């Protein structure tokens, strides 16, 4: 999402909804890393975690990284949000995806995977911004700034879909196969939420595909295994997916 306001104080409607939904899901049912991630991003948004920047100051764009070497934006833009509802939708999505993937991979492995995915999404956003500017001549791709956890969530969605058996997904009334679900969701969000970052979401999907369908995922798994001493165990269908992207 494009940043549009400074950090808000207090209990806004989206924060209230997030609290209610979290209670309804059951705090005890949310894995620890996922729960801590939700809490920290919420406290950051409402200003209870004091930091020396505002959300719009750490938004990411290709020009900020490639020209001005603003590495603070490269790493922090993923965890800021532009509005309370932006935070709400992202954190609910994170709870659902984290509650599925974290128990499979293990908490420590999941934390490292989140770091790799968020970093990869930032790199992909910068790459796409630069390449689209070169291909289209539209300088807006180079300068458009974005914040939010959405790109990482799209990457997680791709991975989660690869872990589960093929089935139909209901997305706003459309029944689509697992492999197409993220692409349909990408288009629908772009149409229904004009202020959302299409390039950021696309970048998240591509990062998820690199992890799920290519040797890059194996390299990431091996690296995390070396760091934590614990292997990432995937479901059988996940391993098959790395060779069957278009079949």
């Amino acid at each position: 999402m494009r940043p549009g306001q400074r950090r808000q104080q207090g209990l806004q409607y989206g924060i209230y909804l997030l609290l209610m939904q979290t209670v309804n899901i059951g705090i005890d049912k949310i894995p620890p890393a996922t729960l801590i991630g939700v809490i920290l991003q919420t406290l950051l948004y409402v200003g209870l975690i004091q930091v020396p920047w505002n959300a719009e100051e750490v938004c990411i764009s290709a020009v900020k990284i490639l020209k001005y070497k603003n590495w603070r934006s490269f790493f922090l833009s993923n965890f800021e949000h532009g509005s309370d509802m932006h935070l709400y939708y992202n954190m609910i999505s994170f709870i659902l995806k984290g509650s599925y993937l974290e128990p499979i991979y293990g908490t420590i492995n999941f934390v490292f995977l989140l770091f790799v995915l968020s970093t990869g999404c930032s790199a992909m956003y910068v790459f796409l911004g630069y390449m689209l500017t070169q291909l289209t001549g539209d300088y807006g791709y180079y300068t458009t700034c974005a914040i939010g956890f959405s790109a990482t969530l799209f990457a997680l969605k791709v991975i989660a879909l690869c872990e589960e058996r093929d089935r139909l997904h209901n997305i706003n009334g459309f029944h689509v196969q697992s492999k197409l679900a993220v692409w349909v969701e990408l288009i629908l969000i772009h149409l229904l939420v004009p202020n959302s970052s299409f390039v950021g979401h696309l970048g998240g999907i591509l990062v998820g595909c690199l992890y799920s369908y290519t040797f890059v995922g194996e390299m990431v798994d091996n690296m995390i295994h070396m760091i934590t001493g614990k292997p990432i165990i995937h479901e059988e269908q996940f391993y098959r997916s790395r060779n069957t992207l278009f079949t």
Side-chain angles (χ1 to χ4, degrees):
M1 172 174 278
R2 300 181 186 92
Q5 61 183 5
R6 292 187 174 272
R7 197 177 310 283
Q8 298 295 307
Q9 303 287 338
L11 187 64
Q12 296 174 274
Y13 182 62
I15 308 298
Y16 174 78
L17 286 179
L18 177 58
L19 291 173
M20 293 300 99
Q21 286 282 60
T22 302
V23 171
N24 288 337
I25 292 171
I27 295 178
D28 59 316
K29 296 180 180 179
I30 304 174
T34 301
L35 180 60
I36 291 172
V38 171
I39 292 173
L40 290 178
Q41 291 188 66
T42 302
L43 294 178
L44 178 63
Y45 176 78
V46 300
L48 292 180
I49 294 180
Q50 297 294 321
V51 290
W53 65 79
N54 290 300
E56 63 268 30
E57 293 174 353
V58 294
C59 66
I60 188 172
S61 68
V63 67
K64 288 179 72 173
I65 304 304
L66 298 178
K67 183 176 181 179
Y68 298 108
K69 314 300 182 186
N70 190 331
W71 299 112
R72 185 173 71 170
S73 295
F74 186 87
F75 291 104
L76 297 179
S77 58
N78 292 289
F79 308 106
E80 290 281 3
H81 290 83
S83 71
D84 58 318
M85 295 307 296
H86 184 207
L87 175 75
Y88 165 70
Y89 286 118
N90 276 0
M91 292 303 97
I92 292 299
S93 178
F94 183 40
I95 288 173
L96 296 176
K97 294 171 178 62
S99 295
Y100 177 62
L101 292 175
E102 186 178 336
I104 296 176
Y105 298 159
T107 294
I108 300 299
N109 285 345
F110 185 66
V111 170
F112 277 99
L113 181 60
L114 284 177
F115 175 77
V116 171
L117 293 177
S118 62
T119 303
C121 287
S122 292
M124 185 64 75
Y125 184 81
V126 173
F127 172 76
L128 290 176
Y130 175 80
M131 292 303 299
L132 288 171
T133 299
Q134 299 301 312
L135 292 172
T136 67
D138 185 349
Y139 198 68
Y141 289 114
Y142 197 59
T143 59
T144 299
C145 240
I147 54 174
F149 204 55
S150 304
T152 304
L153 291 172
F154 267 97
L156 288 174
K157 185 175 182 67
V158 173
I159 297 169
L161 291 174
C162 288
E163 291 287 3
E164 65 183 17
R165 297 188 181 277
D166 290 338
R167 63 184 179 88
L168 292 178
H169 289 257
N170 188 330
I171 303 178
N172 283 31
F174 295 95
H175 294 277
V176 296
Q177 292 182 333
S178 294
K179 292 178 181 178
L180 299 177
V182 289
W183 300 103
V184 173
E185 188 172 339
L186 172 69
I187 295 172
L188 286 177
I189 290 179
H190 180 61
L191 294 175
L192 298 176
V193 188
N195 197 40
S196 64
S197 174
F198 179 83
V199 174
H201 295 168
L202 174 61
I205 292 175
L206 295 178
V207 168
C209 287
L210 283 174
Y211 177 80
S212 301
Y213 299 120
T214 75
F215 68 93
V216 173
E218 296 178 15
M219 293 174 59
V220 170
D221 286 353
N222 291 335
M223 179 190 69
I224 293 175
H225 185 191
M226 288 178 60
I227 295 173
T228 67
K230 298 179 180 180
I232 289 183
I233 306 299
H234 297 289
E235 300 292 342
E236 181 182 351
Q237 54 270 16
F238 184 93
Y239 293 109
R240 293 201 302 266
S241 73
R242 282 183 170 152
N243 297 313
T244 57
L245 176 56
F246 298 109
T247 60

